[in-house]
Amino acid sequence: MTPYRLPAGGLIDRRTPLSFTFDGKPLTGFAGDSLASALLGNGRLLLGRSFKYHRPRGILTAGAAEPNALMTIGTGGRTEANTRATMQELYAGLEARSQSRWPSLAFDIGALNGLLSPFLGAGFYYKTFMWPAPLWEKLYEPFIRKAAGLGTASYTADPDTYEKCWAHCDLLVIGSGPAGLAAALTAGRAGARVILVEEHAAAGGMLLSETAQIDGKPAQDFVAQTMAELASLANVTMLLRTTAFGWYDGNVFGAIERVQKHVPVPLAARAVERLWRIVAKKALLATGAEERPLVFGGNDIPGVMMAGAMRTYLNRYGVAPGRQVAIFTTNDSGYALATDLEAHGIVPEIIVDSRADAAFPYQGKARVVTGAVVSDAAGGKALSSITVLRNGETETVAVDALAMAGGFSPIIHLACHRGAKPLWSDAQSAFLAPGNLVGLDLAGSVATTSGIAACFEDGARKAMALLDEISVHTTPAAPIAVEGDIVSPPARPLWTVPGVKGKAFVDFQNDVHRRDLDLAVQEGYGHVELAKRYTTNGMATDQGKLSNVNAIGLLAEARGVSPDDVGTTTFRPFYTPVSFGALAGASHGHDFQPVRRSPLHDWARRLGATFVETGLWYRSSFFPRPGETTWRESVDREVLNVRAHAGLCDVSMLGKIEICGRDAAEFLNRVYSNAFLKLPVGKARYGLMLREDGMIYDDGTTSRLSENHYFMTTTTAYAAGVMNHLEFCAQVLWPDLDVRLASSTDQWAQMAIAGPKARRILQTIVDADLSNDAFPFLAAREVSLFGGALHGRLFRISFSGELAYELAVPAGYGESVAEALMDAGALHGIQPYGVEALSVLRIEKGHVTHNEINGTATAGDLGFGKMVSATKPDFIGKAMVGRPGLVDPERAQLVGVRPLDPETSFRTGSHILALNAEATLENDQGYVTSSAYSPHIGSTIGLALVKRGASRHGETVTIWNGIRNEFTPGRLCDPVFFDPENEKLHV
Amino acid sequence: MASLVPCPHCGARPREEFTIKGAALVRPAADADPAAWMDYVYLRDNPRGRYDEHWHHTAGCRRWLVVTRDTATHEIAASREAVLGAAGEARP
């Protein structure tokens, strides 16, 4: 026999049937169903195979702790594996597929593992697969990966969007059962900002599964009335379908809202999931309690279910678990189920109460056997009978459903997320939340309160107390009158069920059974943390919500100690799995990081630039022309054209910092290693910044625009870092200096105009005289452009070694100024050039970048020894730059390198060996930091950091590429390959 | 996942807005003993408990702060302008 839908009852909408499929078979449920209740309503009991033994599994719970009924839902990019059928709302067209089965759910080859189970016990990974080692890769691992594991992820991109947001409140209430509702009402009526979080689609918690009456009405009516009042309060926010999954520093809670996981096709304009970070002045955990399974043989056979879950299916979803139902209980709560079953005309076959002294005043028709246990359940894919053991005598009872009521564990997870350990209570037979929590309290059954009325009162009282602490004064919601509530006092736990013959599962999802735990203790792995890893108990996606407490109880019994002595493993976020999509939010694909485009981006794009990503920036790499078939052709042309005529290059992405104040000169003098005090107004100077350890940090030019106004440029990569560093120097190291800093990187479009004809071209738009006398090398001034129509800043500085200028204009004018220069320069052969050509030009001149300033290079290493002032009283790096290791003549120094045969080449990163030396680490003398093909030299050229490099010009060496096994004979040389006398610079 | 840092200028702000430099040490004088410089540049205490660190409110007011953080609990006991002394007074 099987479960079935009752003709009436439940909170489902029977006028709205919904079609869905399970493993391709069309089925029908109702609006308000969970996928689990819809499957049960269709008589489906077998829903999956277990992880290790591939045993048939059904549905165990009606909530977040479900270990068995995991399925893959959706198709294509919306495929979602390991969805708990108990948490998934049914929608029209839902496609669900079972997992962990092959070739089919009913006939599964992996079930043979069950026969091998004596070899698959605790620690089997460690024992079985120790040797021979090569078999791991080839045999064991592929086999285990295929056989084990849960659902399979889709390889198609997720088409949906996710978002993240922050929220703030006076009181966060987690859970909307009687305690949560009372707290929200109490706080809401007093005007406090309240956020109420409920993980299901409907608020009410266990009240939705109750037959008790509140204030003379069904509990569900009371919930509806309360929710209506809360909805009318503008200061109360209700987040349904939202799981609070973690408690973090600063009383911040993480919560995941499943916005559109219950609809056939999500609206594209809305996120499907929303990750909340909720900053709560105070928070109340009203998460209730989890019912504990009982550990008897065959307790995993489809048809065995938690008693509370059975009540939920019965009362909330109108689904009966079977026709011949048995109840195995250790406490009074089992009788609540018996009463509800009888109300639907199902008289339980038997109630097995483990207590010899059970004294519940049961009035129903079912046979009650006290002092007895269910020792075993039988059946393959569906339960067929149970064995009842009493006083050494067994009795077999034919049943098709069995409820387990093993007592309750408060759901204290979030209260333990910040490191405090839970405490065992013998009186409550449960682990309770740690004491002295700050900003968080617990109310209702999570705080061991029993009964609806008491939980309601507890919620109201605790909310009042929490709000008192932040001076929000409230009146607790008035108590409620409850009838028909079966209040179950805590009962002694039944860890070991006597007389068990079959496999008695503790962790259903990871297939850990009772004997595995015994074995762990026997073999010396009885410590709770060791037993977890040895048996894998509690390591599945459900994180041991049902299994951990039973495992601890069993370990305690096996070791002859109290559960208090065993203790728990650590509770960590997330309470339930959170999708990567939600954690990533909008930061994926194209939006993974912001894109920075220069003010000249569109100008370069119109000229056909190929762009390259450098950090966040898109830089123009080169500008191919018709007929050019390789990038090298384009780059060679651009390089030759700069040296022969002129080129225009976008350098807007350099970091730009305005530095002002009476002490700006002194400030610069301390942050640069070279002297800046005497830089005249109207002049630029190359500057070197060190770190305190003496290594070079960054370089750039700084110009003095007026007495107390300087303009600094940094390298593109270190722009943000240098700004932070300068602020540290100004605010922390030398707050007495009068200096102000402002980043203006985005405010200026900056272009380099380089080449022998640069002056003639620039002069057409610059009003001032640009002759060498009037505007010499390193001149830096504000200039008037286009007859006074625009003002910009002009710097006569050169990275290419040519007569060159950098012109900065307000960003918005960048494109039109660049176009004006291109128009004016057409006559003189101007061409745009990109960062590839820029790089070739600078390597030809031996100019360094962060390829050479790599964090291990000193100023001396790069030939800048004279730029480290010996006379300044202080600057960043001064104290350490003279350490013996930093001035060792054996250090790697900057040197040029070229192949002996111009037809041969080498790559950046290749190492330098003494000529014909063996390629070993010991013989390694340094490496190539930059390389390029130089059309002027007619071969590849490189810059390298080589031991004593500065004194080895002319030496023949071997250039070794260990990855490609290439050996290129080469020669060390002066790093300046082109115009070493700088004749072109000063014309 | 989340934590909030109190900024004396901006109020409680998410940690992502800040950059952490490390221990809030006082820079030695330029001519201090090399051992003092060695300590300043390389040696760090690793206490369990309260620790003063330099934090930069990079995506906020861009001020450098001294944040007193408990290394075991991440609890932040205080934050102040780095330029001010512990009692909120200008550093000598």
Side-chain angles (χ1 to χ4, degrees), chain A residues 166 168 245 248-250 252-254 275-277 279 418 574 583 692-693 720 723-729 731-735 873-880 883, chain B residues 1-4 12-16 19 21 25 27-32 34 37-42 54 56 58 61-65 73-75 81-83 91:
Chain A
W166 286 88
H168 301 258
F245 58 73
Y248 299 94
D249 299 337
V252 178
F253 290 79
L275 188 87
W276 289 87
R277 280 169 287 182
V279 185
R418 290 173 71 186
F574 308 136
L583 293 171
E692 289 285 23
D693 68 0
M723 185 68 193
N724 292 358
H725 170 66
L726 295 186
E727 283 171 333
F728 181 79
C729 294
Q731 295 173 25
V732 183
L733 298 186
W734 305 305
D874 192 10
F875 58 87
I876 299 283
K878 178 183 168 76
M880 290 221 148
R883 287 181 290 161
Chain B
M1 174 55 59
S3 59
L4 297 172
R13 301 298 306 167
R15 184 188 54 193
E16 298 93 300
T19 312
K21 186 179 174 75
L25 306 175
R27 186 174 185 263
D31 56 357
W37 274 99
M38 209 65 185
D39 280 4
Y40 174 70
V41 173
Y42 293 111
H54 275 134
H56 185 225
T58 314
C61 59
R62 296 200 66 91
R63 294 300 297 180
W64 278 93
L65 313 174
T73 65
H74 303 309
E75 214 171 309
E81 263 285 312
V83 67
R91 216 171 47 171

Side-chain angles (χ1 to χ4, degrees), chain A residues 866-915:
Chain A
K866 287 184 183 153
M867 291 185 69
V868 178
S869 165
T871 53
K872 289 200 287 185
D874 192 10
F875 58 87
I876 299 283
K878 178 183 168 76
M880 290 221 148
V881 76
R883 287 181 290 161
L886 270 58
V887 295
D888 185 345
E890 291 293 304
R891 288 181 64 83
Q893 295 166 336
L894 186 73
V895 67
V897 59
R898 53 206 287 186
L900 285 187
D901 175 0
E903 296 304 311
T904 61
S905 181
F906 55 84
R907 288 166 191 271
T908 304
S910 298
H911 283 249
I912 305 295
L913 301 169
L915 187 66

Side-chain angles (χ1 to χ4, degrees), chain A residues 599-891:
Chain A
L600 296 176
H601 186 89
D602 287 341
W603 165 81
R605 192 176 43 76
R606 281 197 298 277
L607 291 176
T610 299
F611 290 94
V612 59
E613 278 182 63
T614 54
L616 302 180
W617 287 103
Y618 277 68
R619 302 186 71 173
S620 35
S621 184
F622 53 95
F623 295 79
R625 292 201 158 178
E628 290 173 347
T629 53
T630 65
W631 66 271
R632 258 282 308 283
E633 279 181 62
S634 311
V635 173
D636 287 355
R637 170 183 49 75
E638 289 172 17
V639 168
L640 291 168
N641 191 67
V642 168
R643 298 234 187 272
H645 306 286
L648 195 157
C649 183
D650 181 9
V651 293
S652 303
M653 48 293 291
L654 292 174
K656 305 180 203 74
I657 302 170
E658 313 282 334
I659 301 171
C660 301
R662 278 193 315 276
D663 298 320
E666 174 62 26
F667 179 75
L668 289 166
N669 209 42
R670 293 187 196 179
V671 297
Y672 280 128
S673 69
N674 49 323
F676 264 83
L677 274 182
K678 291 177 186 157
L679 178 67
V681 172
K683 277 286 189 181
R685 180 169 292 173
Y686 179 69
L688 206 56
M689 263 182 218
L690 307 188
R691 307 187 308 212
E692 289 285 23
D693 68 0
M695 302 295 174
I696 308 179
Y697 175 51
D698 198 48
D699 66 350
T701 56
T702 290
S703 307
R704 191 171 199 171
L705 299 176
S706 65
E707 181 64 21
N708 292 327
H709 181 188
Y710 292 78
F711 177 70
M712 176 186 284
T713 61
T714 73
T715 60
T716 301
Y718 279 50
V722 168
M723 185 68 193
N724 292 358
H725 170 66
L726 295 186
E727 283 171 333
F728 181 79
C729 294
Q731 295 173 25
V732 183
L733 298 186
W734 305 305
D736 48 317
L737 294 185
D738 177 46
V739 59
R740 294 287 180 277
L741 304 161
S743 166
S744 60
T745 303
D746 293 322
Q747 277 66 35
W748 296 102
Q750 195 153 324
M751 53 207 97
I753 303 99
K757 299 179 184 162
R759 178 181 291 124
R760 260 181 281 173
I761 296 166
L762 257 180
Q763 190 70 76
T764 61
I765 70 161
V766 176
D767 301 335
D769 176 15
L770 289 184
S771 67
N772 196 42
D773 290 340
F775 205 88
F777 184 57
L778 292 178
R781 280 178 223 151
E782 291 199 358
V783 290
S784 154
L785 305 169
F786 305 107
L790 186 66
H791 284 79
R793 292 172 178 176
L794 188 65
F795 312 91
R796 188 161 163 201
I797 51 181
S798 175
F799 201 39
S800 57
E802 295 298 319
L803 167 68
Y805 302 82
E806 286 186 16
L807 175 65
V809 296
Y813 292 97
E815 281 190 59
S816 40
V817 171
E819 273 168 12
L821 285 169
M822 292 301 290
D823 287 347
L827 195 67
H828 305 290
I830 196 170
Q831 290 179 13
Y833 66 105
V835 284
E836 283 294 340
L838 184 79
S839 182
V840 175
L841 292 163
R842 71 99 185 163
I843 295 172
E844 286 180 341
K845 286 295 292 181
H847 288 157
V848 298
T849 65
H850 277 289
N851 282 22
E852 288 75 33
I853 302 174
N854 60 12
T856 69
T858 66
D861 296 343
L862 300 189
F864 296 134
K866 287 184 183 153
M867 291 185 69
V868 178
S869 165
T871 53
K872 289 200 287 185
D874 192 10
F875 58 87
I876 299 283
K878 178 183 168 76
M880 290 221 148
V881 76
R883 287 181 290 161
L886 270 58
V887 295
D888 185 345
E890 291 293 304
R891 288 181 64 83

Side-chain angles (χ1 to χ4, degrees), chain A residues 534-623:
Chain A
Y534 201 58
T535 63
T536 72
N537 189 90
M539 289 170 72
T541 59
D542 63 346
Q543 290 286 290
K545 287 185 179 57
L546 296 178
S547 67
N548 280 352
V549 176
N550 277 339
I552 290 163
L554 289 167
L555 289 171
E557 279 188 349
R559 286 166 49 187
V561 298
S562 147
D564 194 29
D565 299 318
V566 174
T568 61
T569 52
T570 308
F571 288 83
R572 291 192 181 88
F574 308 136
Y575 172 65
T576 47
V578 176
S579 70
F580 278 111
L583 293 171
S587 303
H588 67 96
H590 182 71
D591 299 322
F592 177 68
Q593 57 184 16
V595 170
R596 293 185 83 177
R597 289 198 184 91
S598 138
L600 296 176
H601 186 89
D602 287 341
W603 165 81
R605 192 176 43 76
R606 281 197 298 277
L607 291 176
T610 299
F611 290 94
V612 59
E613 278 182 63
T614 54
L616 302 180
W617 287 103
Y618 277 68
R619 302 186 71 173
S620 35
S621 184
F622 53 95
F623 295 79

Side-chain angles (χ1 to χ4, degrees), chain A residues 308-352:
Chain A
M310 223 177 248
R311 284 190 87 197
T312 296
Y313 289 114
L314 202 61
N315 297 330
R316 179 170 173 182
Y317 297 112
V319 171
R323 293 179 201 276
Q324 298 164 286
V325 185
I327 299 170
F328 179 15
T329 188
T330 64
N331 60 84
D332 291 351
S333 71
Y335 297 93
L337 171 62
T339 309
D340 289 354
L341 283 167
E342 284 172 60
H344 287 283
I346 305 164
V347 178
E349 298 293 310
I350 188 168
I351 300 174
V352 181

